[in-house]
């Protein structure tokens, strides 16, 4: 085990995995671009193909969580709720406290067969991120600038296009709008006090506009809202770098299902419902801090082999020519080739590190609390 942990910590192995992810992602993005000719001819086929292509990319990240780091994910919910997973269109609400919260959500999507068709309301800046933003663009992800007057038309049209989506989807919402930090929490609670809303201890005040708009547009398509509250055993603070280094975490997810018909239609009443939901999420987190677990029965869905097999396929296709090329450079004795290859490795490592940096708490910011930012709620 010590030897395996050591191997996982080797930078060269991490770099090779990053190389596989980046190059396979660029290949997938190119194929996605080619599928655009299908959109006016057969939109359903275009969507099915792009779901499979997105799965091939995202599952590599899920593989890191499930197989490389061996992170465990336990659900706190009932069997009746689990029986509906992957069999209905839903809106999923997840707390935004950790660097890898999205990976835990993707893991659940993968284990119930809907990773490729999962959706998210994402900030517009991510559209410019290579691989991630480009793949999401072809997957019809809804992007917003978090300025409602600018977003209104785009968000409505993007959501309305998803009404006839051919595969079951989980539409992920981070209703807090940005990742939790102590500084943002202080500002958020000042806003709560000014609006006469109950203060939250473990969450930011939810931004209701995104949720009410999504629910309004997708009503008739989505049948339920899943409230997911995530925490980690032993006060762990997981990071994507930790996952890449093979560090194991233990994630607990409390999942509650709310039928759409039980949620108010009126926008103001719906906003009140969301605020109440976050008060309940706060109580769940308080219970977790005291008891070390969420209330209710536990279910641990088994990981599937497809993420590992998908990565091994791409690694076989891409690493063989890379290793052959590196060997040729080494035996050539050409200083120019060797220096050029070293520069390539340095650039590749920097690029991969920047991609990882997109998830880091200290590097992911927003205009939250900026007095010049326009209020959305």
């Amino acid at each position: 085990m010590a030897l395996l942990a050591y191997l996982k910590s080797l930078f060269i192995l991490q770099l090779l995995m990053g190389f596989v992810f980046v190059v396979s992602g660029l290949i997938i993005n190119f194929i996605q671009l080619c599928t655009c000719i299908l959109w006016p001819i057969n939109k359903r086929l275009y969507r099915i193909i792009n779901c499979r292509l997105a799965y091939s990319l995202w599952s590599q990240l899920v593989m890191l969580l499930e197989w490389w780091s061996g992170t465990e994910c336990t659900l706190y919910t009932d069997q009746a709720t689990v029986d509906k997973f992957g069999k209905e269109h839903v809106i999923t609400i997840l707390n935004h406290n950790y660097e890898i919260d999205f990976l835990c959500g993707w893991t659940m999507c993968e284990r119930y067969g809907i990773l490729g068709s999962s959706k998210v309301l994402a900030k517009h800046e991510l559209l410019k991120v290579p691989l991630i933003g480009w793949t999401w663009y072809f997957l019809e992800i809804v992007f917003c600038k978090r300025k409602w007057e600018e977003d209104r038309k785009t968000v409505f049209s993007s959501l309305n296009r998803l009404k006839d989506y051919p595969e079951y989807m989980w539409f992920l919402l981070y209703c807090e709008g940005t990742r939790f930090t102590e500084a943002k929490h202080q500002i958020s609670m000042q806003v709560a006090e000014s609006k006469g809303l109950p203060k939250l201890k473990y969450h930011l005040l939810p931004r209701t506009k995104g949720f009410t708009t999504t629910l309004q547009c997708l009503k008739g398509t989505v049948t339920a809202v899943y409230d997911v509250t995530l925490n980690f055993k032993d006060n762990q603070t997981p990071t994507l770098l930790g996952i890449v280094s093979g560090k194991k975490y233990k994630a607990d997810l409390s999942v509650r299902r709310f039928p759409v018909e039980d949620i108010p239609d009126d926008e103001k009443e719906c906003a009140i419902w969301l605020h109440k939901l976050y008060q309940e999420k706060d109580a769940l987190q308080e219970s977790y801090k005291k008891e070390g677990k969420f209330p209710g029965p536990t279910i641990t869905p088994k990981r599937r082999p497809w993420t590992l097999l998908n990565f091994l396929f791409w690694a076989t296709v891409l690493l063989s020519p890379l290793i052959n090329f590196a060997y040729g450079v080494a035996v050539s004795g050409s200083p120019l080739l060797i220096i050029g290859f070293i520069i390539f490795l340095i650039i590749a490592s920097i690029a991969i590190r920047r991609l990882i940096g997109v998830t880091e708490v200290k590097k992911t910011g927003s205009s939250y609390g900026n007095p010049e930012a326009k209020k959305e709620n």
Side-chain angles (χ1 to χ4, degrees), residues 1 3-18 59-71 240-249 303 307-308 311-312:
M1 293 298 291
L3 176 61
L4 184 60
Y6 171 73
L7 290 174
K8 289 180 178 179
S9 68
L10 291 177
F11 176 72
I12 186 62
L13 288 183
Q14 298 169 9
L15 184 61
L16 290 174
M17 289 193 300
S59 66
Q60 293 182 51
L61 297 177
V62 174
M63 184 280 299
L64 289 176
L65 186 80
E66 293 185 333
W67 296 93
W68 186 255
S69 81
T71 292
L240 189 54
L241 273 177
I243 294 294
V244 171
S245 299
K247 186 174 182 180
K248 182 176 181 177
Y249 301 104
R303 60 186 180 182
T307 57
L308 181 60
F311 176 79
L312 291 176

Side-chain angles (χ1 to χ4, degrees), residues 109-129:
C109 288
E110 200 290 320
R111 294 187 187 188
Y112 293 99
I114 53 171
L115 176 59
S117 58
S118 61
K119 308 296 179 189
V120 65
L121 184 63
K123 56 185 180 182
H124 192 266
E125 293 91 330
L126 290 175
L127 182 58
K128 302 173 184 177
V129 178

Side-chain angles (χ1 to χ4, degrees), residues 329-348:
V329 170
V331 300
S332 69
S334 169
L336 188 62
L337 280 177
I338 294 174
I339 293 172
F341 189 68
I342 292 174
I343 293 174
F344 165 76
L345 291 177
I346 293 173
I347 293 174

Side-chain angles (χ1 to χ4, degrees), residues 142-373:
V142 181
F143 292 96
C144 65
K145 297 178 180 178
R146 292 185 287 196
K147 296 179 180 179
W148 182 239
E149 292 306 317
E150 295 183 27
D151 289 331
R152 183 193 301 270
K153 184 176 179 180
T154 302
V155 170
F156 269 103
S157 62
S158 298
L159 288 170
N160 284 326
R161 278 201 302 269
L162 297 177
K163 286 183 175 181
D164 62 345
Y165 209 77
E167 301 204 358
Y168 290 123
M169 62 179 175
W170 285 8
F171 194 103
L172 173 63
L173 289 178
Y174 290 116
C175 292
E176 294 161 272
T178 185
R179 189 174 276 122
F180 183 98
T181 65
E182 286 300 329
K184 293 175 185 176
H185 180 251
Q186 291 179 11
I187 296 169
S188 179
M189 292 308 97
Q190 291 172 6
V191 174
E193 185 175 5
S194 69
K195 292 186 176 182
L197 295 168
K199 291 186 177 182
L200 303 173
K201 187 175 180 180
Y202 303 102
H203 301 85
L204 305 179
L205 197 67
R207 299 183 176 188
T208 61
K209 182 65 72 174
F211 173 71
T212 57
T213 301
T214 302
L215 187 61
Q216 176 187 348
C217 289
L218 295 181
K219 217 155 198 180
T221 299
V222 299
T223 55
V225 171
Y226 293 169
D227 171 50
V228 183
T229 305
L230 170 67
N231 212 319
F232 289 85
K233 293 288 189 188
D234 305 320
N235 293 316
Q236 292 175 311
T237 305
T239 64
L240 189 54
L241 273 177
I243 294 294
V244 171
S245 299
K247 186 174 182 180
K248 182 176 181 177
Y249 301 104
K250 294 182 180 180
D252 289 335
L253 300 96
S254 171
V255 184
R256 300 183 296 163
R257 181 182 183 274
F258 297 91
V260 167
E261 54 268 22
D262 293 346
I263 302 173
D265 291 324
D266 179 76
E267 184 176 348
K268 289 185 178 180
E269 291 297 320
C270 187
I272 293 172
W273 181 91
L274 184 64
H275 282 297
K276 182 181 177 183
L277 182 78
Y278 267 79
Q279 292 162 33
E280 295 171 356
K281 288 172 76 70
D282 226 47
L284 283 171
Q285 293 285 33
E286 183 68 25
S287 173
Y288 192 91
K289 292 292 183 182
K290 292 179 180 179
E291 305 293 334
K293 63 180 182 178
F294 291 115
T298 62
I299 296 174
T300 304
K302 294 182 179 179
R303 60 186 180 182
R304 307 193 305 170
W306 312 123
T307 57
L308 181 60
L309 293 174
N310 174 74
F311 176 79
L312 291 176
F313 164 77
W314 282 113
T316 302
V317 170
L318 298 175
L319 290 183
S320 297
L322 177 67
I323 293 172
N324 288 335
F325 177 74
Y327 176 77
V329 170
V331 300
S332 69
S334 169
L336 188 62
L337 280 177
I338 294 174
I339 293 172
F341 189 68
I342 292 174
I343 293 174
F344 165 76
L345 291 177
I346 293 173
I347 293 174
S349 62
I350 293 173
I352 292 167
R353 186 62 184 83
R354 286 179 66 86
L355 277 176
I356 293 175
V358 172
T359 71
E360 292 181 351
V361 172
K362 293 180 181 179
K363 294 185 180 180
T364 51
S366 73
S367 60
Y368 199 99
N370 185 342
E372 296 180 1

Side-chain angles (χ1 to χ4, degrees), residues 16-28:
L16 290 174
M17 289 193 300
F19 172 82
V20 172
F21 177 74
V22 170
V23 177
S24 65
L26 292 174
I27 293 172
I28 287 169

